[in-house]
Amino acid sequence: MTVRLSPRDTAGPSSHDRHWRAGTVQAVSPAGTLDLGPGYLEPGLLPVDLIGEAYAVAAHRFGAAALSYGDNQGALPFREAVAARATALEGLPCGPENILVTAGSSHGLHLLATVLARPGQQVLVERTGYDFGRAVLRDCGLVPRSVATDGDGVVPEALDEALREGAGQVAFVVLTPTFHNPTGTVMPLRRRIAVLEVAARHGAVLVEDDAYAELDLDGTGVPPSLAALAGHRGVVRLRTASKVLGPGLRLGWMQADPAVVRRFTAHGLLVSGGSANHLCSLAVQTLLCDNTFDLHLDWLRARLAERRDAAYDAVADQLAGVVEVRRPQGGFFLWLLAGQTEKSLVDRASAAGVVVAAGSRFGHTEVAAVRLSYSFTPPPLLRAAVTRLADAWKGTS
Ligand SMILES: Cc1ncc(COP(=O)(O)O)c(C=O)c1O
C-alpha cells in the first residue's frame, strides 16, 4: 500500500470521459462549443488514480475507523494535517482545535449562515463576487448586501459605512481577498490590514472564502490570509479541496478560533451525522502526510499557468483595444471589461460557439464584463476560443 503513482502518471486525459454526461456530473458543455464558463478543473486535470489510491491507503491504514461516524469536528489526523500545513505556509499558529471539517466551502458557508446568523439578518458581500455563495445565504433567509470594491478588493470606507448603517443587523461579512472569483484580484497587504481594522472596530466577523489560496501560478507569493493577520480573531477562513483536487470530493474545512469552532460541533447536523465526509478526509490526509499533495500541486499549478498564459496572451494580442484585462497571478479566471453591452458580448460569443460567463451574474459591474475561465480548457483550445471571440467581438465573423 506504499506505492504511489506520481501526479504526472495519474492526471492527463481521462479514460472515463464517457461518464462525463448529464445525470452523472452537474453540467456538461453544450455540444460543439468551447466552454470557458465553468469555474472548475477540466477532466484531464482531475487526479482520478491518485484519489483512488488514497482511498485504498486510508481504508488499509484506518480500518473500521474509516467507516465509522467521524468525530463531529472532523477526524483528528486530517485536522492535524491541514493545521500543520497552515502553520508551515503562513507561520500562523494553527492546531487541530482551529479546524472544523466541512463538505466543501459551500457547506461551510451554509453552516455559518445557520449557526452565526438569524434569518432576516444582512450579510455584507463584495459588489462583484461569487454568485452561488450569495444563493446559499439567501436560502438561509439572509439578505446579501453589496459593498463597493475597486481593483484592490473591498473598499474599507464603504465597508465601514455599510457596517455603521447595518449596526445590529449584519451577521457577518464574506470576502475573497486572494485570487478573487470572478475578477482574479489579490487584495494587497495594506488593504487587508485596513479591512481588518474596520471589521474589528465594529466587532464584525469576517468570513474569508479562500478557495483559490494555493493557486499562486507565478510563485511570487501572496499576502498573508486575513485569518493569519488576525491570529484567527474575528475571522473564519473557508478552505476547500475542490479547486486543487476535485469538487466531487466535497471536502473542505473551516479555520477559526477554537471558541467559534466549538459552536459548530454541537450543531444537530454534526451530532447526528458526525463529521462531513469522514472517509474522504482520511483519504486526503494520506496525501498530505507525505509529499504527494505538494507534488500534485506543483504539477497542477504548472498546467494552470500554461492555460492562464495561453488565454491571457491570446486576449492581450488579439483583443487589444476591444477589452481590458489584467494578467491574474493565480486562480482560474480572466476578467474582461469591454465597451460593448454585456448582452452583445455574450450573444456574439455564443454565436461563435464560445461560452463565457456574463459579468452581471456576479453582481454589479461598472462597465460590461465577462469572465473567461481557463481552468476547464486545454491551451490550444483556449487560443482557438479567443480567436473566435476576437472575430466575433470585432464584428468580422
Ligand atoms: C469563491 C468560491 N467559494 C466557494 C466555491 C465553492 O467551493 P466548494 O466546491 O468547496 O463548495 C467556489 C467555487 O466556484 C468559489 O469560487
Side-chain angles (χ1 to χ4, degrees):
M1 282 300 176
T2 50
V3 179
R4 286 237 188 259
L5 296 168
S6 84
R8 202 172 298 278
D9 296 330
T10 57
S14 164
S15 58
H16 307 91
D17 279 357
R18 68 185 184 285
H19 292 300
W20 195 281
R21 58 181 176 212
T24 303
V25 297
Q26 188 180 49
V28 285
S29 305
T33 58
L34 294 171
D35 195 351
L36 309 193
Y40 41 86
L41 296 171
E42 64 169 281
L45 295 180
L46 295 173
V48 176
D49 293 345
L50 195 70
I51 292 296
E53 196 201 350
Y55 268 82
V57 173
H60 177 76
R61 193 175 290 169
F62 294 100
L67 289 187
S68 178
Y69 285 109
D71 179 271
N72 292 5
Q73 197 176 331
L76 185 60
F78 177 79
R79 287 188 284 121
E80 284 174 342
V82 292
R85 191 170 178 86
T87 304
L89 291 178
E90 296 212 286
L92 151 82
C94 183
E97 65 282 4
N98 294 104
I99 306 293
L100 180 94
V101 176
T102 67
S105 301
S106 309
H107 178 230
L109 196 57
H110 194 273
L111 282 174
L112 286 163
T114 49
V115 174
L116 295 191
R118 294 183 314 278
Q121 279 192 305
Q122 294 176 14
V123 174
L124 302 186
V125 296
E126 293 140 334
R127 184 167 52 178
T128 312
Y130 178 52
D131 50 338
F132 298 139
R134 289 195 296 260
V136 172
L137 298 170
R138 282 197 197 95
D139 285 350
C140 296
L142 302 176
V143 184
R145 185 169 159 211
S146 298
V147 182
T149 52
D150 62 17
D152 287 341
V154 76
V155 177
E157 295 73 22
L159 181 63
D160 189 37
E161 195 182 325
L163 285 168
R164 202 161 351 100
E165 282 175 4
Q169 280 309 305
V170 176
F172 49 85
V173 181
V174 183
L175 303 175
T176 300
T178 305
F179 307 135
H180 182 264
N181 179 5
T183 63
T185 303
V186 178
M187 185 185 283
L189 178 60
R190 190 194 292 249
R191 176 68 63 91
R192 289 178 193 235
I193 292 169
V195 165
L196 283 167
E197 279 171 3
V198 169
R201 203 174 327 123
H202 291 275
V205 173
L206 288 180
V207 174
E208 180 175 28
D209 185 355
D210 225 355
Y212 303 91
E214 297 219 42
L215 292 175
D216 172 7
L217 306 184
D218 292 334
T220 47
V222 290
S225 64
L226 297 177
L229 289 169
H232 289 129
R233 269 183 309 281
V235 179
V236 177
R237 188 178 182 212
L238 296 179
R239 302 296 314 281
T240 178
S242 291
K243 311 300 174 181
V244 287
L245 288 170
L249 293 176
R250 300 316 307 136
L251 180 66
W253 59 101
M254 195 185 277
Q255 200 184 308
D257 189 84
V260 175
V261 168
R262 281 195 294 274
R263 293 186 63 180
F264 292 91
T265 52
H267 197 43
L269 181 71
L270 301 181
V271 173
S272 171
S275 154
N277 229 339
H278 175 57
L279 171 56
C280 179
S281 73
L282 293 175
V284 171
Q285 183 267 354
T286 73
L287 300 177
L288 289 165
C289 283
D290 53 27
N291 67 346
T292 313
F293 179 72
D294 283 311
L295 281 175
H296 166 72
L297 205 49
D298 286 347
W299 176 88
L300 180 65
R301 286 187 191 124
R303 301 289 82 73
L304 285 170
E306 286 166 4
R307 284 157 177 75
R308 185 268 320 268
D309 292 344
Y312 175 79
D313 292 349
V315 168
D317 182 36
Q318 300 183 47
L319 281 163
V322 180
V323 299
E324 267 179 48
V325 63
R326 285 208 299 193
R327 183 177 179 277
Q329 183 193 329
F332 283 2
F333 309 114
L334 293 187
W335 182 240
L336 310 188
L337 304 175
Q340 316 177 24
T341 65
E342 179 187 282
K343 185 170 173 0
S344 150
L345 291 170
V346 174
D347 288 353
R348 286 190 198 201
S350 168
V354 182
V355 179
V356 299
S360 58
R361 217 186 90 182
F362 306 96
H364 175 83
T365 60
E366 287 296 327
V367 296
V370 294
R371 187 191 77 177
L372 304 191
S373 171
Y374 51 77
S375 59
F376 193 66
T377 305
L381 294 181
L382 284 167
R383 288 188 204 98
V386 174
T387 300
R388 287 193 196 180
L389 290 178
D391 288 346
W393 290 346
K394 286 176 182 167
T396 55
S397 73

